[in-house]
Coordinates of all heavy atoms in Angstrom, one line a residue:
Chain P
T8 N -10.4 -56.2 18.8 CA -9.6 -57.4 18.7 C -9.2 -57.9 20.1 O -9.0 -57.1 21.0 CB -8.4 -57.2 17.8 OG1 -7.7 -56.0 18.3 CG2 -8.7 -57.0 16.4
L9 N -9.0 -59.2 20.2 CA -8.5 -59.7 21.5 C -7.0 -59.2 21.7 O -6.2 -59.2 20.8 CB -8.5 -61.2 21.5 CG -9.9 -61.8 21.7 CD1 -9.8 -63.3 21.4 CD2 -10.4 -61.6 23.1
K10 N -6.7 -58.9 23.0 CA -5.3 -58.6 23.2 C -4.4 -59.9 23.0 O -4.9 -61.0 23.0 CB -5.2 -58.2 24.7 CG -5.8 -56.8 24.9 CD -5.5 -56.2 26.3 CE -6.1 -54.8 26.4 NZ -6.0 -54.2 27.7
S11 N -3.1 -59.6 22.8 CA -2.3 -60.7 22.3 C -2.1 -61.9 23.2 O -2.0 -63.0 22.8 CB -0.9 -60.1 21.9 OG -0.3 -59.6 23.0
G12 N -2.2 -61.7 24.5 CA -2.0 -62.8 25.4 C -3.3 -63.7 25.6 O -3.2 -64.8 26.2
V13 N -4.4 -63.2 25.1 CA -5.7 -63.8 25.4 C -5.9 -65.0 24.5 O -5.8 -64.8 23.2 CB -6.8 -62.8 25.3 CG1 -8.1 -63.4 25.6 CG2 -6.5 -61.6 26.2
L14 N -6.3 -66.1 25.0 CA -6.6 -67.3 24.2 C -7.9 -67.0 23.3 O -8.8 -66.3 23.7 CB -7.0 -68.5 25.1 CG -5.8 -69.1 25.8 CD1 -6.2 -70.3 26.7 CD2 -4.8 -69.6 24.8
D15 N -7.8 -67.5 22.1 CA -8.9 -67.3 21.1 C -9.4 -68.6 20.6 O -9.0 -69.0 19.5 CB -8.4 -66.4 20.0 CG -9.5 -66.1 19.0 OD1 -10.7 -66.5 19.2 OD2 -9.2 -65.4 18.0
P16 N -10.3 -69.3 21.3 CA -10.7 -70.6 20.8 C -11.5 -70.6 19.5 O -11.4 -71.5 18.7 CB -11.7 -71.1 21.9 CG -12.0 -69.9 22.8 CD -10.9 -68.9 22.6
Q17 N -12.2 -69.5 19.2 CA -12.9 -69.3 18.0 C -11.9 -69.3 16.8 O -12.1 -69.9 15.8 CB -13.7 -68.0 18.0 CG -15.0 -68.1 17.2 CD -15.9 -66.9 17.6 OE1 -15.5 -66.0 18.5 NE2 -17.0 -66.8 16.9
G18 N -10.8 -68.5 17.0 CA -9.7 -68.4 16.0 C -9.1 -69.8 15.8 O -8.8 -70.2 14.6
K19 N -8.8 -70.5 16.9 CA -8.2 -71.8 16.7 C -9.1 -72.8 16.0 O -8.7 -73.6 15.1 CB -8.0 -72.4 18.1 CG -6.8 -71.9 18.8 CD -5.5 -72.8 18.4 CE -4.3 -72.3 19.0 NZ -3.3 -71.8 18.0
A20 N -10.5 -72.7 16.2 CA -11.4 -73.5 15.5 C -11.3 -73.2 14.0 O -11.4 -74.1 13.2 CB -12.8 -73.3 16.0
I21 N -11.3 -71.9 13.6 CA -11.2 -71.6 12.2 C -9.9 -72.1 11.6 O -9.9 -72.7 10.5 CB -11.2 -70.0 12.1 CG1 -12.5 -69.5 12.5 CG2 -10.8 -69.6 10.6 CD1 -12.6 -67.9 12.5
Q22 N -8.8 -72.0 12.4 CA -7.5 -72.5 11.9 C -7.5 -74.0 11.6 O -7.1 -74.5 10.6 CB -6.4 -72.2 12.9 CG -5.0 -72.5 12.4 CD -3.9 -72.1 13.5 OE1 -4.2 -71.5 14.5 NE2 -2.7 -72.5 13.2
H23 N -8.1 -74.8 12.6 CA -8.2 -76.2 12.4 C -9.1 -76.5 11.2 O -8.9 -77.5 10.4 CB -8.8 -76.9 13.6 CG -7.8 -76.9 14.7 ND1 -7.9 -77.7 15.9 CD2 -6.6 -76.3 14.9 CE1 -6.8 -77.5 16.6 NE2 -6.0 -76.6 16.1
A24 N -10.2 -75.8 11.0 CA -11.1 -76.0 9.9 C -10.4 -75.8 8.6 O -10.6 -76.5 7.6 CB -12.4 -75.2 10.0
L25 N -9.6 -74.7 8.5 CA -8.9 -74.4 7.3 C -7.9 -75.5 7.0 O -7.7 -75.9 5.8 CB -8.1 -73.0 7.4 CG -9.0 -71.8 7.4 CD1 -8.2 -70.5 7.7 CD2 -9.7 -71.6 6.0
D26 N -7.2 -76.0 8.0 CA -6.3 -77.2 7.9 C -7.1 -78.3 7.3 O -6.6 -79.0 6.3 CB -5.7 -77.6 9.2 CG -4.5 -76.7 9.6 OD1 -4.0 -75.9 8.7 OD2 -4.0 -76.8 10.7
G27 N -8.2 -78.6 7.9 CA -9.0 -79.7 7.4 C -9.5 -79.6 6.0 O -9.7 -80.6 5.3
L28 N -9.7 -78.4 5.5 CA -10.1 -78.1 4.1 C -8.9 -78.2 3.2 O -9.0 -78.0 2.0 CB -10.8 -76.8 4.0 CG -12.2 -76.7 4.6 CD1 -12.6 -75.2 4.6 CD2 -13.2 -77.5 3.8
G29 N -7.7 -78.4 3.7 CA -6.5 -78.5 2.9 C -5.7 -77.3 2.6 O -4.8 -77.3 1.7
F30 N -6.0 -76.2 3.3 CA -5.3 -74.9 3.1 C -4.0 -75.0 3.9 O -4.0 -75.1 5.1 CB -6.1 -73.7 3.5 CG -7.3 -73.5 2.6 CD1 -8.6 -73.7 3.1 CD2 -7.1 -72.9 1.3 CE1 -9.7 -73.5 2.3 CE2 -8.2 -72.7 0.5 CZ -9.5 -73.0 1.0
A31 N -2.9 -75.0 3.2 CA -1.6 -75.1 3.8 C -1.0 -73.7 4.1 O -1.5 -72.7 3.5 CB -0.6 -75.8 3.0
G32 N -0.1 -73.6 5.1 CA 0.6 -72.3 5.3 C -0.1 -71.4 6.3 O 0.4 -70.3 6.5
V33 N -1.2 -71.8 6.9 CA -1.9 -70.9 7.8 C -1.3 -71.1 9.2 O -1.2 -72.3 9.7 CB -3.4 -71.3 7.9 CG1 -4.1 -70.4 9.0 CG2 -4.1 -71.0 6.6
E34 N -0.7 -70.1 9.7 CA 0.1 -70.2 11.0 C -0.7 -69.7 12.2 O -0.3 -70.0 13.3 CB 1.4 -69.4 10.8 CG 2.3 -70.0 9.8 CD 3.3 -69.1 9.1 OE1 3.3 -67.9 9.5 OE2 3.9 -69.5 8.2
G35 N -1.7 -69.0 12.0 CA -2.5 -68.5 13.2 C -3.7 -67.7 12.7 O -3.7 -67.1 11.6
V36 N -4.8 -67.8 13.5 CA -6.0 -67.1 13.1 C -6.6 -66.5 14.4 O -6.6 -67.1 15.5 CB -7.1 -68.0 12.5 CG1 -8.4 -67.3 12.2 CG2 -6.6 -68.7 11.3
R37 N -6.9 -65.2 14.3 CA -7.6 -64.5 15.5 C -8.9 -63.9 14.9 O -8.9 -63.3 13.9 CB -6.7 -63.4 16.0 CG -5.3 -63.8 16.4 CD -5.1 -64.4 17.7 NE -5.2 -63.4 18.8 CZ -5.3 -63.8 20.1 NH1 -5.3 -65.1 20.4 NH2 -5.4 -62.9 21.0
Q38 N -9.9 -64.1 15.7 CA -11.2 -63.5 15.3 C -11.5 -62.3 16.2 O -11.5 -62.3 17.4 CB -12.3 -64.5 15.3 CG -13.6 -63.8 15.0 CD -14.7 -64.7 14.5 OE1 -14.5 -65.9 14.3 NE2 -15.9 -64.1 14.2
G39 N -11.9 -61.2 15.5 CA -12.4 -60.0 16.2 C -13.7 -59.6 15.7 O -14.3 -60.3 14.9
K40 N -14.1 -58.4 16.1 CA -15.4 -57.8 15.7 C -15.2 -56.5 14.9 O -14.3 -55.8 15.2 CB -16.2 -57.5 17.0 CG -16.9 -58.7 17.5 CD -17.7 -58.4 18.8 CE -16.8 -58.2 20.0 NZ -17.5 -58.0 21.2
L41 N -16.1 -56.3 14.0 CA -16.1 -55.1 13.2 C -17.5 -54.5 13.5 O -18.5 -55.1 13.2 CB -15.9 -55.4 11.8 CG -16.4 -54.4 10.7 CD1 -15.6 -53.1 10.9 CD2 -16.1 -55.0 9.3
I42 N -17.5 -53.3 14.0 CA -18.8 -52.7 14.3 C -18.9 -51.4 13.5 O -18.1 -50.5 13.6 CB -19.0 -52.4 15.8 CG1 -18.9 -53.7 16.6 CG2 -20.3 -51.7 16.1 CD1 -18.6 -53.6 18.0
E43 N -19.9 -51.3 12.7 CA -20.1 -50.1 11.8 C -21.3 -49.3 12.4 O -22.4 -49.8 12.6 CB -20.5 -50.5 10.4 CG -19.3 -51.2 9.7 CD -19.7 -51.7 8.3 OE1 -20.8 -52.2 8.1 OE2 -18.9 -51.6 7.4
I44 N -21.0 -48.1 12.7 CA -22.0 -47.2 13.3 C -22.3 -46.0 12.4 O -21.4 -45.3 12.0 CB -21.5 -46.6 14.7 CG1 -21.2 -47.8 15.6 CG2 -22.5 -45.7 15.3 CD1 -20.7 -47.3 17.0
D45 N -23.6 -45.9 12.1 CA -24.1 -44.7 11.3 C -24.5 -43.7 12.4 O -25.3 -44.0 13.3 CB -25.3 -45.1 10.5 CG -24.9 -45.4 9.1 OD1 -24.1 -44.7 8.5 OD2 -25.5 -46.4 8.5
H46 N -24.0 -42.5 12.3 CA -24.3 -41.5 13.3 C -24.3 -40.1 12.8 O -23.8 -39.8 11.7 CB -23.4 -41.7 14.5 CG -21.9 -41.4 14.1 ND1 -21.4 -40.2 13.9 CD2 -20.9 -42.3 13.9 CE1 -20.1 -40.3 13.6 NE2 -19.8 -41.6 13.6
A47 N -24.9 -39.2 13.6 CA -25.0 -37.8 13.2 C -23.6 -37.2 13.2 O -22.7 -37.8 13.9 CB -25.9 -37.1 14.2
D48 N -23.4 -36.2 12.5 CA -22.1 -35.5 12.4 C -21.6 -35.0 13.7 O -20.4 -34.8 13.9 CB -22.1 -34.4 11.3 CG -22.2 -34.9 9.9 OD1 -22.3 -36.2 9.8 OD2 -22.3 -34.1 9.0
N49 N -22.5 -34.6 14.6 CA -22.1 -34.0 15.8 C -21.7 -35.0 16.9 O -21.4 -34.6 18.1 CB -23.2 -33.1 16.4 CG -24.5 -33.8 16.7 OD1 -24.5 -35.0 16.5 ND2 -25.5 -33.1 17.2
V50 N -21.7 -36.3 16.6 CA -21.1 -37.3 17.6 C -19.6 -37.1 17.6 O -18.9 -37.2 16.6 CB -21.5 -38.7 17.2 CG1 -20.8 -39.7 18.1 CG2 -23.0 -38.9 17.3
S51 N -19.1 -36.8 18.8 CA -17.6 -36.5 18.8 C -16.8 -37.7 18.9 O -17.2 -38.8 19.2 CB -17.4 -35.6 20.1 OG -17.6 -36.4 21.2
D52 N -15.5 -37.6 18.7 CA -14.5 -38.6 18.9 C -14.6 -39.2 20.3 O -14.4 -40.4 20.6 CB -13.1 -38.1 18.6 CG -12.8 -37.9 17.1 OD1 -13.7 -38.2 16.3 OD2 -11.8 -37.4 16.8
D53 N -14.8 -38.3 21.3 CA -14.8 -38.7 22.7 C -16.1 -39.6 22.9 O -16.0 -40.5 23.7 CB -14.8 -37.4 23.6 CG -14.7 -37.8 25.0 OD1 -13.7 -38.5 25.4 OD2 -15.6 -37.5 25.8
D54 N -17.2 -39.2 22.3 CA -18.4 -40.0 22.4 C -18.1 -41.4 21.9 O -18.5 -42.4 22.6 CB -19.5 -39.4 21.6 CG -20.2 -38.2 22.2 OD1 -20.1 -38.1 23.4 OD2 -20.7 -37.4 21.5
L55 N -17.5 -41.5 20.8 CA -17.2 -42.8 20.2 C -16.2 -43.6 21.1 O -16.4 -44.8 21.3 CB -16.5 -42.7 18.8 CG -17.5 -42.1 17.7 CD1 -16.8 -41.7 16.5 CD2 -18.6 -43.2 17.4
D56 N -15.3 -42.9 21.7 CA -14.4 -43.6 22.6 C -15.1 -44.1 23.8 O -14.9 -45.3 24.3 CB -13.3 -42.6 23.0 CG -12.1 -43.3 23.6 OD1 -11.4 -44.0 22.9 OD2 -11.9 -43.2 24.9
Q57 N -16.0 -43.3 24.3 CA -16.8 -43.8 25.5 C -17.7 -44.9 25.1 O -17.9 -45.8 25.9 CB -17.7 -42.6 26.0 CG -16.9 -41.5 26.7 CD -16.3 -42.1 28.0 OE1 -16.8 -42.9 28.7 NE2 -15.0 -41.7 28.2
M58 N -18.3 -44.9 23.9 CA -19.1 -46.1 23.5 C -18.3 -47.4 23.5 O -18.8 -48.4 24.0 CB -19.6 -45.9 22.0 CG -20.7 -44.8 21.9 SD -21.1 -44.7 20.1 CE -21.9 -43.1 20.1
C59 N -17.0 -47.3 23.1 CA -16.2 -48.5 23.1 C -15.9 -48.9 24.5 O -16.0 -50.1 24.9 CB -14.8 -48.2 22.4 SG -15.0 -48.0 20.6
R60 N -15.6 -47.9 25.4 CA -15.2 -48.3 26.8 C -16.3 -48.8 27.6 O -16.2 -49.7 28.4 CB -14.6 -47.0 27.5 CG -13.4 -46.5 26.8 CD -12.6 -45.6 27.7 NE -11.2 -45.5 27.2 CZ -10.3 -46.3 27.5 NH1 -10.5 -47.2 28.4 NH2 -9.1 -46.2 27.0
K61 N -17.5 -48.3 27.3 CA -18.7 -48.6 28.1 C -19.4 -49.9 27.6 O -20.1 -50.5 28.4 CB -19.7 -47.5 28.2 CG -19.2 -46.3 29.1 CD -20.3 -45.3 29.4 CE -19.7 -44.2 30.2 NZ -20.6 -43.0 30.2
L62 N -19.4 -50.1 26.3 CA -20.2 -51.2 25.8 C -19.5 -52.1 24.8 O -19.6 -53.3 24.9 CB -21.5 -50.5 25.1 CG -22.5 -51.6 24.5 CD1 -23.2 -52.2 25.7 CD2 -23.4 -50.9 23.6
L63 N -18.8 -51.5 23.8 CA -18.4 -52.3 22.6 C -17.2 -53.2 22.9 O -17.2 -54.3 22.3 CB -18.2 -51.4 21.4 CG -19.4 -50.5 21.1 CD1 -19.0 -49.5 19.9 CD2 -20.6 -51.3 20.7
A64 N -16.3 -52.8 23.7 CA -15.1 -53.6 24.0 C -15.0 -53.8 25.5 O -15.4 -53.0 26.3 CB -13.9 -52.8 23.4
N65 N -14.5 -55.0 25.8 CA -14.1 -55.3 27.1 C -12.6 -55.0 27.3 O -11.8 -55.8 26.8 CB -14.4 -56.8 27.4 CG -13.9 -57.2 28.8 OD1 -13.2 -56.5 29.5 ND2 -14.3 -58.4 29.2
T66 N -12.3 -53.9 27.8 CA -10.9 -53.4 27.7 C -9.9 -54.2 28.6 O -8.7 -54.0 28.5 CB -10.8 -51.9 28.1 OG1 -11.4 -51.7 29.4 CG2 -11.5 -51.0 27.1
V67 N -10.5 -55.1 29.4 CA -9.6 -56.0 30.1 C -8.9 -57.0 29.2 O -7.7 -57.3 29.3 CB -10.3 -56.8 31.2 CG1 -9.4 -57.8 31.9 CG2 -11.0 -55.9 32.2
I68 N -9.6 -57.5 28.2 CA -9.1 -58.5 27.3 C -9.1 -58.0 25.8 O -8.6 -58.7 24.9 CB -9.9 -59.8 27.4 CG1 -11.4 -59.6 27.1 CG2 -9.7 -60.5 28.7 CD1 -12.1 -60.9 26.9
E69 N -9.7 -56.9 25.5 CA -9.8 -56.5 24.1 C -9.2 -55.1 23.8 O -9.3 -54.2 24.7 CB -11.2 -56.5 23.7 CG -11.9 -57.9 23.6 CD -13.4 -57.8 23.4 OE1 -14.0 -56.9 23.8 OE2 -13.9 -58.8 22.7
N70 N -8.6 -54.9 22.7 CA -8.2 -53.6 22.2 C -9.3 -53.1 21.2 O -10.0 -54.0 20.6 CB -6.9 -53.7 21.4 CG -5.8 -54.0 22.3 OD1 -5.7 -53.5 23.4 ND2 -4.9 -54.9 21.9
Y71 N -9.4 -51.8 21.0 CA -10.3 -51.3 20.0 C -9.6 -50.2 19.2 O -8.7 -49.6 19.7 CB -11.6 -50.8 20.6 CG -11.5 -49.7 21.5 CD1 -11.5 -48.4 21.1 CD2 -11.3 -49.9 22.9 CE1 -11.4 -47.3 22.0 CE2 -11.2 -48.9 23.8 CZ -11.2 -47.6 23.3 OH -11.1 -46.6 24.2
R72 N -10.1 -50.1 18.0 CA -9.5 -49.0 17.1 C -10.7 -48.4 16.4 O -11.6 -49.0 15.9 CB -8.6 -49.7 16.1 CG -7.8 -48.7 15.2 CD -6.6 -49.3 14.5 NE -7.1 -50.4 13.7 CZ -7.5 -50.2 12.4 NH1 -7.5 -49.0 11.9 NH2 -7.9 -51.3 11.7
I73 N -10.7 -47.0 16.4 CA -11.8 -46.3 15.9 C -11.4 -45.7 14.6 O -10.3 -45.0 14.5 CB -12.3 -45.2 16.8 CG1 -12.8 -45.9 18.1 CG2 -13.4 -44.3 16.2 CD1 -13.1 -44.9 19.3

Side-chain angles (χ1 to χ4, degrees):
Chain P
T8 49
L9 284 170
K10 290 188 176 176
S11 59
V13 181
L14 287 177
D15 180 5
Q17 211 168 356
K19 278 273 175 245
I21 293 173
Q22 188 178 351
H23 287 194
L25 287 172
D26 279 350
L28 287 170
F30 291 107
V33 176
E34 289 152 10
V36 180
R37 306 279 285 172
Q38 176 158 356
K40 280 179 283 188
L41 159 61
I42 298 160
E43 293 175 322
I44 300 184
D45 263 317
H46 58 79
D48 289 0
N49 64 359
V50 172
S51 68
D52 286 355
D53 187 56
D54 286 335
L55 290 166
D56 196 70
Q57 286 300 317
M58 288 180 198
C59 290
R60 297 194 163 275
K61 289 191 180 164
L62 183 73
L63 304 177
N65 175 353
T66 54
V67 177
I68 57 166
E69 291 171 327
N70 293 320
Y71 61 89
R72 187 162 61 83
I73 298 170

